[in-house]
Amino acid sequence: MEASVILPILKKKLAFLSGGKDRRSGLILTIPLCLEQTSMDELSVTLDYLLSIPSEKCKARGFTVIVDGRKSQWNVVKTVVLMLQNVVPAEVSLVCVVKPDEFWDKKVTHFCFWKEKDRLGFEVILVSANKLTRYIEPCQLTEDFGGTLTYDHMDWLNKRLVFEKFTKESTSLLDELALINNGSDKGTQQEKERSIDLNFLPSVDPETVLQTGHELLSELQQRRFNGSDGGVSWSPMDDELLAQPQVMKLLDSLREQYTRYQEVCRQRSKRTQLEEIQQKVMQVVNWLEGPGSEQLRTQWGIGDSIRASQALQQKHEEIESQHSEWFAVYVELNQQIAALLNAGDEEDLVELKALQQQLSDVCYRQASQLEFRQNLLQAALEFHSVAQDLSQQLDGLLGMLCVDVAPADGASIQQTLKLLEEKLKSVDLGLQGLREKGQSLLDQISNQASWAYGKDVTIENKENVDHIQGVMEDMQLRKQRCEDMVDVRRLKMLQMVQLFKCEEDAAQAVEWLSELLDALLKTHIRLGDDAQETKVLLEKHRKFVDVAQSTYDYGRQLLQATVVLCQSLRCTSRSSGDTLPRLNRVWKQFTITSEERVHRLETAVAFHSSAEKILQECPEQPEAFNEMEQFDEIEAVGKSLLDRLTVPVVYPDGSEQYFGSPSDMASAAEHIREKMKLVSLKKQQLRQPEATTPES
């Protein structure tokens, strides 16, 4: 019978074992009757439970029963005493009925318990509470009977419940643990696995039961050795009631079985963990060598453009994302395997290392394949990027070459030519970069077979190789065509530069000739003071004319060159059309002016020579002057020269120009007049002797 089953009855405290003992060391059983009617059935159940607690040794010493009838009626007391005969006749040695003062005196005579001793099997005495000490020591009596023994019924009941629960749970747990532990020691592995599977988890937590037992034992030991008022306080669950030793025995057994159980669990957990690791390893290996490798096998292309390569990269990133999930499992498994290896179980080391090696080999190989594929796609993307940039450069260069050149001047042509050369150089560098990228990509493709898992990738690689080589060849051809066109355009532009240069130089020749004409008119004024100086001026003038002639010839040659270049370029010169008439017009003006200058200088030479000759002749040689017409001729030449100085130079277009300023012409004319006066004076001198001779 368990206390938890009859807990409501036990709470009524119909009877209790206080832990006190009589002088024979028999236990004291107390039945406190109250004013209310006591249920004999409940009292009988309570007595049965209480009497089941002590050991047989304790029971053999007998019980002293204290029936507290001070608050009850006599017939109830009598019924209880008679009931003891049926409940515990052999164990009861003495029944002390505590009577109320002067209440049962008359009724006692109606029933004498001492006369019924033989029939009852125990002695019954009526005693007042203050006289119980005649039979029982005060320290063994509770405070209700004037003793010093402390008893708390609810505390005892709670402890009893804990004790019975611990006993029940520990006993059941011991059986379960023993079954589990014994099952783990069976001979065959199959029986071992089946036994552990069926009884692996106990019905209660061993840790909780052990903790409960330790707390209970601690409580029992504390109550056992802690006294009240310097005395000893006995508990109904002390050594004599088998509580403490029973708890200690159960705890020892539990610890032993639980230690074995923990080892069984550890071995089982290790085996389970190893099997789980092995299962997960095979899942990772099977996926990587199966679907994972198949994904890589189907991805062999590199794309034919930037967009296609980017699409393949995106697809590869999706594949990498799937692989990363399995790689995360690999990292976790590797850590678990490393932890088990560090545990140092020799029986599992070989298997764990084999699993670790297999997992690492597959994962590293797959990771290398992913990295190789990623590098290949990146190289392909870079190749197509360079190819696209080069194609755009070639398109730009071709567009520039297809546009007809119509520059404004030679400087713009030079700038355009420089830009063309820069673009061609940029194309050269781009083609060189494309070749480098293409060769690097071809080298990577040639290594692709190393991770093809036996699959023939010759066809796929051939397509990629043909595509790369085709792109490079196409770019080479386009670049060559552009170079040819650049050569033609360069020649044309150089001719245009030469054309502009010829036109500019021709215009410059016209300008120079105009400046010479202007200098001739403004600075070539003097006619000389004598014949010698005039001849020098005439010689200088001829050289001046030679310079002008060279300038004119240079301009004509330049204009002829522009005609040839225009014919070669199939274009119309912008300036040769008006430059040539201008050149001819200026040259015509210069020629007329020069001729006029020559005529004046030659006239001045004749004038000065004749005048100087006459003026230098000695007067004693009159025969030299026989011809007076010489003086007349000199005067005529001088007058002619003076007249020409006043006449402007008239050009074919009707325009007129004078040599120098009027003051300059007046100065020159004045000098001629002075010389004419000297000649006239000489003439007069010669005539005077002729006049005096006839008179004489």
Side-chain angles (χ1 to χ4, degrees):
M1 184 182 299
E2 298 178 1
S4 59
V5 179
I6 58 172
L7 183 60
I9 298 176
L10 293 176
K11 287 182 178 181
K12 294 180 180 181
K13 198 180 177 181
L14 299 179
F16 62 88
L17 290 169
S18 64
K21 299 180 180 179
D22 56 19
R23 290 187 173 90
R24 298 186 306 275
S25 296
L27 297 177
I28 297 176
L29 175 65
T30 304
I31 304 175
L33 301 177
C34 56
L35 296 176
E36 298 178 358
Q37 184 67 34
T38 301
S39 172
M40 294 298 111
D41 292 336
E42 293 180 350
L43 178 59
S44 176
V45 170
T46 301
L47 292 175
D48 288 340
Y49 175 74
L50 293 176
L51 293 175
S52 66
I53 295 175
S55 62
E56 295 299 326
K57 182 178 179 180
C58 292
K59 292 179 182 179
R61 299 193 189 103
F63 290 88
T64 294
V65 182
I66 300 177
V67 181
D68 188 2
R70 291 176 293 179
K71 297 179 181 180
S72 180
Q73 298 178 359
W74 164 251
N75 57 345
V76 176
V77 173
K78 182 177 64 175
T79 303
V80 169
V81 173
L82 293 176
M83 184 186 64
L84 292 174
Q85 179 184 12
N86 299 322
V87 177
V88 285
E91 287 81 0
V92 177
S93 59
L94 176 63
V95 176
C96 295
V97 179
V98 181
K99 63 179 182 176
D101 296 338
E102 299 180 356
F103 184 73
W104 289 339
D105 291 344
K106 294 181 179 180
K107 296 181 179 181
V108 172
T109 56
H110 295 285
F111 186 81
C112 294
F113 287 112
W114 63 273
K115 294 181 179 180
E116 301 294 330
K117 179 179 180 181
D118 295 336
R119 186 171 65 86
L120 292 175
F122 48 78
E123 181 181 0
V124 180
I125 60 173
L126 296 175
V127 62
S128 299
N130 56 2
K131 295 182 179 181
L132 270 176
T133 55
R134 295 179 180 178
Y135 308 97
I136 303 172
E137 296 295 332
C139 62
Q140 302 298 321
L141 292 174
T142 61
E143 295 176 353
D144 295 337
F145 304 110
T148 60
L149 182 62
T150 301
Y151 175 74
D152 185 344
H153 184 70
M154 292 308 299
D155 180 66
W156 171 84
L157 184 58
N158 291 332
K159 292 297 185 294
R160 188 64 192 177
L161 290 172
V162 172
F163 171 76
E164 290 185 354
K165 180 182 179 182
F166 168 73
T167 303
K168 179 180 179 182
E169 290 180 350
S170 60
T171 302
S172 175
L173 181 60
L174 281 172
D175 294 338
E176 294 175 357
L177 293 178
L179 181 62
I180 295 173
N181 296 335
N182 293 334
S184 64
D185 295 334
K186 290 183 178 180
T188 64
Q189 183 69 19
Q190 183 177 3
E191 291 178 351
K192 178 179 180 179
E193 294 294 332
R194 182 168 60 251
S195 175
I196 293 179
D197 290 339
L198 294 176
N199 305 284
F200 188 70
L201 295 177
S203 58
V204 293
D205 182 22
E207 294 286 349
T208 303
V209 177
L210 284 171
Q211 182 179 359
T212 302
H214 285 298
E215 292 175 354
L216 178 61
L217 180 61
S218 177
E219 180 66 22
L220 291 175
Q221 291 175 343
Q222 184 178 6
R223 288 168 57 94
R224 173 67 178 84
F225 294 106
N226 289 344
S228 176
D229 295 334
V232 179
S233 177
W234 296 90
S235 167
M237 291 181 290
D238 59 4
D239 291 340
E240 300 214 15
L241 297 181
L242 296 180
Q244 182 173 330
Q246 187 175 356
V247 171
M248 294 176 64
K249 182 178 180 181
L250 288 173
L251 285 175
D252 293 339
S253 300
L254 274 177
R255 279 192 289 266
E256 179 183 357
Q257 292 293 338
Y258 184 52
T259 300
R260 292 181 58 195
Y261 168 74
Q262 286 178 318
E263 179 62 21
V264 171
C265 291
R266 192 186 70 82
Q267 293 294 335
R268 174 59 178 174
S269 175
K270 186 179 67 174
R271 173 51 54 183
T272 302
Q273 186 179 9
L274 187 60
E275 292 175 354
E276 291 177 354
I277 290 176
Q278 186 176 13
Q279 182 179 3
K280 290 181 179 179
V281 167
M282 295 312 300
Q283 288 178 352
V284 174
V285 170
N286 292 336
W287 191 90
L288 292 179
E289 292 183 343
S293 297
E294 186 62 29
Q295 288 178 346
L296 289 176
R297 290 191 189 100
T298 58
Q299 297 296 314
W300 53 267
I302 61 173
D304 56 359
S305 63
I306 293 179
R307 181 175 297 179
S309 296
Q310 289 175 341
L312 289 174
Q313 274 190 332
Q314 184 176 2
K315 178 64 177 178
H316 183 72
E317 288 175 357
E318 295 175 0
I319 296 175
E320 282 185 332
S321 177
Q322 297 180 19
H323 278 76
S324 62
E325 298 177 0
W326 291 97
F327 288 154
V329 177
Y330 156 70
V331 172
E332 181 181 356
L333 288 174
N334 200 34
Q335 293 175 349
Q336 294 178 3
I337 293 174
L340 291 177
L341 289 174
N342 292 332
D345 293 334
E346 295 182 359
E347 58 183 8
D348 300 326
L349 287 180
V350 177
E351 184 177 0
L352 286 172
K353 288 182 178 180
L355 285 175
Q356 188 180 43
Q357 187 64 40
Q358 181 185 13
L359 183 62
S360 298
D361 291 344
V362 174
C363 289
Y364 279 118
R365 183 170 60 248
Q366 200 74 357
S368 299
Q369 296 166 16
L370 289 171
E371 183 179 6
F372 179 87
R373 175 63 179 169
Q374 177 63 32
N375 294 337
L376 182 67
L377 291 177
Q378 183 62 34
L381 180 61
E382 293 176 358
F383 172 78
H384 289 124
S385 298
V386 174
Q388 179 174 297
D389 293 342
L390 179 58
S391 178
Q392 292 175 353
Q393 292 178 3
L394 290 170
D395 291 340
L397 180 59
L398 183 62
M400 184 177 178
L401 293 171
C402 290
V403 176
D404 193 14
V405 180
D409 51 31
S412 61
I413 293 179
Q414 292 285 1
Q415 185 67 26
T416 303
L417 185 59
K418 180 180 179 181
L419 180 61
L420 196 63
E421 296 291 347
E422 289 177 352
K423 285 185 174 292
L424 184 60
K425 183 178 180 181
S426 178
V427 167
D428 287 335
L429 294 176
L431 183 59
Q432 182 180 357
L434 181 67
R435 289 170 179 168
E436 293 175 355
K437 294 292 184 182
Q439 187 59 48
S440 175
L441 186 57
L442 290 173
D443 292 341
Q444 292 188 49
I445 291 177
S446 64
N447 296 328
Q448 188 173 8
S450 62
W451 52 270
Y453 285 105
K455 181 183 177 182
D456 186 8
V457 295
T458 305
I459 298 177
E460 292 82 353
N461 281 343
K462 186 176 185 303
E463 293 181 5
N464 293 332
V465 170
D466 291 343
H467 168 69
I468 296 169
Q469 293 177 345
V471 170
M472 292 192 293
E473 291 174 358
D474 179 63
M475 292 299 173
Q476 177 63 38
L477 291 175
R478 290 178 62 186
K479 188 250 185 183
Q480 186 63 47
R481 287 196 295 268
C482 286
E483 281 184 340
D484 296 339
M485 295 179 69
V486 167
D487 292 339
V488 175
R489 176 58 58 90
R490 185 187 294 111
L491 178 61
K492 183 177 181 180
M493 294 180 74
L494 290 175
Q495 288 178 341
M496 293 186 71
V497 170
Q498 188 176 5
L499 173 62
F500 276 106
K501 182 63 176 175
C502 289
E503 290 180 345
E504 291 175 0
D505 290 348
Q508 184 65 47
V510 174
E511 191 69 25
W512 288 343
L513 198 58
S514 298
E515 292 176 356
L516 291 174
L517 175 61
D518 188 62
L520 178 61
L521 289 169
K522 292 182 179 180
T523 61
H524 293 221
I525 301 169
R526 296 183 71 255
L527 297 177
D529 296 336
D530 52 32
Q532 183 64 32
E533 183 180 359
T534 303
K535 290 179 180 179
V536 172
L537 290 175
L538 183 60
E539 183 65 25
K540 289 182 178 179
H541 177 71
R542 288 193 179 99
K543 293 180 179 179
F544 184 76
V545 171
D546 291 340
V547 172
Q549 181 69 48
S550 299
T551 303
Y552 171 71
D553 294 340
Y554 176 65
R556 287 296 300 267
Q557 292 173 0
L558 290 173
L559 291 175
Q560 290 175 359
T562 58
V563 173
V564 175
L565 289 173
C566 286
Q567 292 175 352
S568 176
L569 293 171
R570 298 179 181 180
C571 65
T572 302
S573 174
R574 299 177 298 107
S575 61
S576 61
D578 61 346
T579 304
L580 181 60
R582 285 176 55 219
L583 179 65
N584 291 331
R585 183 175 65 252
V586 174
W587 176 246
K588 186 64 177 177
Q589 291 176 352
F590 184 87
T591 303
I592 294 171
T593 306
S594 175
E595 290 175 352
E596 177 63 24
R597 174 68 173 167
V598 170
H599 186 73
R600 290 184 181 187
L601 288 173
E602 288 177 347
T603 302
V605 169
F607 171 76
H608 285 300
S609 296
S610 298
E612 290 174 358
K613 181 178 180 181
I614 291 175
L615 292 174
Q616 290 176 0
E617 289 292 337
C618 294
E620 291 80 8
Q621 299 175 356
E623 65 276 3
F625 299 99
N626 291 330
E627 299 295 333
M628 292 301 293
E629 63 270 11
Q630 292 184 1
F631 288 96
D632 296 334
E633 183 180 353
I634 292 172
E635 290 178 356
V637 173
K639 289 179 180 180
S640 175
L641 183 58
L642 289 174
D643 291 339
R644 293 192 76 91
L645 290 177
T646 60
V647 176
V649 181
V650 180
Y651 298 132
D653 59 357
S655 60
E656 298 177 350
Q657 287 288 341
Y658 288 92
F659 280 94
S661 63
S663 60
D664 295 334
M665 291 296 100
S667 176
E670 184 64 25
H671 185 71
I672 294 173
R673 288 189 185 98
E674 290 179 355
K675 185 160 283 193
M676 288 179 67
K677 289 178 180 180
L678 293 174
V679 173
S680 178
L681 182 60
K682 183 71 175 180
K683 178 180 179 183
Q684 292 175 1
Q685 290 176 354
L686 291 176
R687 283 180 177 179
Q688 287 178 357
E690 291 179 359
T692 58
T693 300
E695 290 179 359
S696 60

